[in-house]
Coordinates of all heavy atoms in Angstrom, one line a residue:
M67 N 23.1 -130.4 -40.6 CA 24.0 -129.6 -39.9 C 24.9 -130.1 -38.9 O 26.0 -129.8 -38.7 CB 23.1 -128.4 -39.3 CG 22.5 -127.5 -40.4 SD 23.5 -126.4 -41.2 CE 23.8 -125.1 -40.1
K68 N 24.3 -131.0 -38.0 CA 25.0 -131.7 -36.9 C 26.3 -132.4 -37.6 O 27.4 -132.4 -37.1 CB 24.2 -132.6 -36.1 CG 23.5 -131.9 -34.9 CD 23.0 -132.8 -33.9 CE 22.3 -132.0 -32.8 NZ 21.9 -132.9 -31.8
A69 N 26.0 -133.2 -38.6 CA 27.0 -134.1 -39.3 C 28.0 -133.2 -39.9 O 29.3 -133.4 -39.9 CB 26.4 -135.0 -40.4
L70 N 27.6 -132.0 -40.6 CA 28.6 -131.0 -41.2 C 29.5 -130.5 -40.1 O 30.6 -130.4 -40.2 CB 27.9 -129.9 -41.9 CG 28.7 -129.0 -42.5 CD1 29.8 -129.5 -43.5 CD2 27.9 -127.8 -43.1
A71 N 28.8 -130.2 -39.0 CA 29.6 -129.6 -37.9 C 30.7 -130.6 -37.3 O 32.0 -130.2 -37.1 CB 28.7 -129.1 -36.6
G72 N 30.3 -131.7 -37.3 CA 31.2 -133.0 -36.9 C 32.3 -133.0 -37.9 O 33.5 -133.3 -37.4
L73 N 32.2 -132.8 -39.1 CA 33.3 -132.8 -40.1 C 34.0 -131.6 -39.9 O 35.4 -131.7 -40.1 CB 32.8 -132.9 -41.6 CG 32.0 -134.2 -41.9 CD1 31.3 -133.9 -43.3 CD2 32.9 -135.3 -41.9
L74 N 33.6 -130.5 -39.6 CA 34.4 -129.3 -39.4 C 35.3 -129.3 -38.0 O 36.5 -128.8 -38.1 CB 33.6 -128.0 -39.3 CG 32.7 -127.6 -40.5 CD1 31.6 -126.6 -40.3 CD2 33.8 -127.1 -41.6
W75 N 34.8 -129.8 -37.1 CA 35.4 -130.0 -35.8 C 35.4 -131.2 -35.1 O 34.6 -131.6 -34.2 CB 34.8 -128.9 -34.9 CG 35.0 -127.5 -35.3 CD1 36.1 -126.8 -35.4 CD2 33.9 -126.5 -35.8 NE1 35.8 -125.5 -35.9 CE2 34.5 -125.5 -36.3 CE3 32.7 -126.8 -35.8 CZ2 33.8 -124.4 -36.7 CZ3 31.9 -125.7 -36.4 CH2 32.4 -124.5 -36.9
P76 N 36.2 -132.3 -35.7 CA 36.0 -133.7 -35.2 C 36.5 -133.9 -33.9 O 36.2 -134.9 -33.2 CB 37.0 -134.4 -36.3 CG 37.8 -133.4 -36.9 CD 37.1 -132.0 -36.7
R77 N 37.3 -133.0 -33.3 CA 37.7 -133.2 -31.9 C 36.7 -132.8 -30.8 O 36.8 -133.2 -29.7 CB 39.0 -132.3 -31.7 CG 40.2 -132.8 -32.4 CD 41.4 -132.0 -32.3 NE 42.5 -132.6 -33.0 CZ 43.7 -132.1 -33.1 NH1 44.1 -131.0 -32.2 NH2 44.6 -132.6 -33.7
D78 N 35.7 -131.9 -31.4 CA 34.6 -131.6 -30.5 C 33.5 -132.8 -30.4 O 33.4 -133.5 -31.5 CB 33.9 -130.2 -30.9 CG 34.9 -129.1 -30.6 OD1 35.9 -129.2 -30.0 OD2 34.6 -128.0 -31.2
S79 N 32.6 -132.7 -29.4 CA 31.5 -133.6 -29.5 C 30.6 -133.0 -30.6 O 30.7 -131.9 -31.0 CB 30.8 -133.7 -28.2 OG 30.1 -132.5 -28.0
V80 N 29.7 -134.0 -31.1 CA 28.9 -133.5 -32.3 C 28.0 -132.4 -31.8 O 27.8 -131.4 -32.5 CB 28.1 -134.7 -32.8 CG1 26.9 -134.1 -33.7 CG2 28.9 -135.6 -33.3
D81 N 27.5 -132.4 -30.6 CA 26.6 -131.3 -30.0 C 27.5 -130.0 -29.8 O 27.0 -128.9 -30.2 CB 26.0 -131.7 -28.8 CG 25.0 -132.8 -28.9 OD1 24.3 -132.8 -29.9 OD2 24.7 -133.5 -28.0
Q82 N 28.7 -130.1 -29.3 CA 29.4 -128.8 -29.1 C 29.9 -128.3 -30.6 O 29.8 -127.0 -30.8 CB 30.8 -129.2 -28.5 CG 30.7 -129.4 -27.2 CD 32.0 -130.0 -26.4 OE1 32.8 -130.6 -27.1 NE2 32.2 -129.6 -25.2
A83 N 30.0 -129.0 -31.5 CA 30.5 -128.6 -32.9 C 29.3 -128.0 -33.5 O 29.3 -127.0 -34.1 CB 31.1 -129.8 -33.8
Y84 N 28.1 -128.6 -33.4 CA 26.8 -128.0 -33.9 C 26.6 -126.7 -33.3 O 26.1 -125.7 -34.0 CB 25.7 -129.1 -33.7 CG 24.4 -128.4 -34.0 CD1 24.0 -128.5 -35.4 CD2 23.4 -128.2 -33.0 CE1 22.8 -128.0 -35.7 CE2 22.2 -127.6 -33.5 CZ 21.8 -127.5 -34.7 OH 20.6 -127.0 -35.1
T85 N 26.6 -126.6 -32.1 CA 26.3 -125.4 -31.4 C 27.2 -124.2 -31.8 O 26.9 -123.1 -32.1 CB 26.5 -125.5 -29.8 OG1 25.5 -126.4 -29.3 CG2 26.2 -124.1 -29.0
R86 N 28.6 -124.6 -32.0 CA 29.5 -123.7 -32.5 C 29.2 -123.1 -33.8 O 29.3 -122.0 -34.1 CB 30.9 -124.4 -32.4 CG 32.1 -123.5 -32.9 CD 33.2 -124.4 -32.7 NE 34.4 -123.7 -33.2 CZ 35.7 -124.2 -33.1 NH1 35.9 -125.4 -32.7 NH2 36.7 -123.6 -33.6
L87 N 28.9 -124.1 -34.7 CA 28.6 -123.7 -36.1 C 27.2 -122.8 -36.1 O 27.2 -121.7 -36.8 CB 28.3 -124.9 -36.9 CG 27.9 -124.7 -38.4 CD1 28.8 -123.8 -39.2 CD2 27.6 -126.1 -39.0
V88 N 26.2 -123.2 -35.4 CA 25.0 -122.5 -35.5 C 25.2 -121.1 -34.9 O 24.8 -120.0 -35.4 CB 23.9 -123.1 -34.7 CG1 22.7 -122.3 -34.4 CG2 23.5 -124.5 -35.4
N89 N 26.0 -121.0 -33.9 CA 26.4 -119.7 -33.2 C 27.1 -118.8 -34.3 O 26.8 -117.6 -34.2 CB 27.0 -119.8 -32.0 CG 26.1 -120.2 -30.9 OD1 25.0 -120.1 -30.9 ND2 26.8 -120.8 -29.8
Q90 N 28.0 -119.4 -35.0 CA 28.8 -118.6 -35.9 C 27.9 -118.2 -37.2 O 28.3 -117.2 -37.8 CB 29.9 -119.5 -36.4 CG 30.9 -119.7 -35.5 CD 32.3 -120.3 -35.8 OE1 32.5 -120.6 -37.0 NE2 33.1 -120.6 -34.9

Side-chain angles (χ1 to χ4, degrees):
M67 291 288 280
K68 278 191 172 185
L70 176 61
L73 293 172
L74 291 169
W75 298 290
R77 293 183 180 176
D78 293 345
S79 73
V80 174
D81 288 333
Q82 288 174 324
Y84 173 74
T85 299
R86 183 175 177 184
L87 178 59
V88 169
N89 286 341
Q90 289 182 8

